Amino acid sequence: MPAAPNSRAVAVILLVPLIVTLSLWAFSWPAARIAPRDLPVGVAGPAPAAEQLQRQLEQRAGAFEIHRYDDEGAARDAIEDRVVYGAVVVTEEGPRLLTASAASPVVAQLLTEAAKGAAPSGTAVPVTDVVAAPETDPRGAALGASILPLALAGVAAGALVTVMRLRGARGAVALVGAAGLVGVAATAVAHSWLGVVTGDWWTEAGVVGLTVLAISSGVGGLAALFGSKGIGMGALLMVLLGNSFSGVTSAPELLPEPVGAIGQWLPPGAGGSLLRSVAFFDGAAAGGAVLTLTAWAVLGLAAVLIGGRRQPEAGSPAGLPDRRREPVLTD
């Protein structure tokens, strides 16, 4: 019967271009549309001069979300607390710019250009990097590149638990154990060897482990509820959308709406934001990301546990009776 092989061939011919098209859209479209969208920025200084500067920045409609501060000290505190990405301080000598390249080197460069454009012609704008990116990764390239391997590790763990039929409590323990070891190994590379993150070692390891657990339990939970096709659903969600919408290489506020917000609701984006907070900002503004990752991990593990009860035991394939339990008929 050639019908079935022919239909599978047609499926391959159609699905591969579709997957490539979706991948190009997910990865290329946000990158091609990077621009500030309600980007939190501070303005500090005496009221008349600060108000004039604020009006100049607000001329770019929808680009900046302006926060007003009385002085430079308050603006610095806001940057260190991750309330704003940077601030322009109005002084008698002229405007000064405060940035935080550790939050996003792309945003720091963008703010530098915007501050120079808003200053009077010929006026120099001194720039102070309040929270600088590490010298080993000044452009944040290594940190941004680390999210995809973590996403792949999470998808692989969720898929392996499913393929090996580690259901229920055994599956949950396997996911937690794998995520914990990935956290230790990844932190050893990123912190101890490369030096691209500089916070507390064990806190960073916990963040990486929680990120991988949220991804792997999400994939494992979908597979427990929907079968093997749940692995594909999880991979699509975590890698294709989660990684490309994470904003780790730029900033969520630079991505097209609602891509930036969606990315922060998915584990890769939340994990990237949380890692920045603990690596460079002493955990500032970490609450939302912790809640997102915890929710994914708890719901995913719950699905793995529930799915383990619903599915047959290993050795008894789904839909077939376990013949070891059938009564033996004798004459």
Side-chain angles (χ1 to χ4, degrees), residues 43-44 48-58 88-90 95 115 118-119:
V43 173
E51 289 174 357
Q52 180 181 359
L53 177 60
Q54 179 175 345
R55 286 193 295 270
Q56 290 177 323
L57 292 175
E58 288 176 342
V88 183
V89 182
V90 179

Side-chain angles (χ1 to χ4, degrees), residues 98-134:
L98 307 178
T99 64
S101 59
S104 171
V106 176
V107 171
Q109 181 62 35
L110 185 151
L111 292 180
T112 300
E113 296 173 358
K116 291 179 178 179
S121 179
T123 302
V125 180
V127 179
T128 301
D129 202 345
V130 177
V131 186

Side-chain angles (χ1 to χ4, degrees), residues 42-99:
V43 173
E51 289 174 357
Q52 180 181 359
L53 177 60
Q54 179 175 345
R55 286 193 295 270
Q56 290 177 323
L57 292 175
E58 288 176 342
Q59 288 178 359
R60 298 179 63 176
F64 299 110
E65 178 186 284
I66 305 299
H67 296 245
R68 285 290 302 276
Y69 300 103
D70 294 333
D71 52 33
E72 180 177 338
R76 283 177 173 267
D77 290 341
I79 293 172
E80 292 171 352
D81 292 338
R82 299 203 73 185
V83 176
V84 295
Y85 282 92
V88 183
V89 182
V90 179
T91 66
E92 295 180 355
E93 294 79 17
R96 297 180 56 227
L97 177 63
L98 307 178
T99 64

Side-chain angles (χ1 to χ4, degrees), residues 281-311:
F281 295 88
D282 295 326
V290 170
L291 182 61
T292 298
L293 293 174
T294 302
W296 276 97
V298 170
L299 293 175
L301 291 175
V304 170
L305 293 172
I306 294 171
R309 289 186 174 184
R310 294 170 53 188
Q311 297 181 23

Side-chain angles (χ1 to χ4, degrees), residues 237-248:
L237 193 62
M238 301 300 178
V239 177
L240 190 61
L241 298 183
N243 182 70
S244 57
F245 289 5
S246 67
V248 177

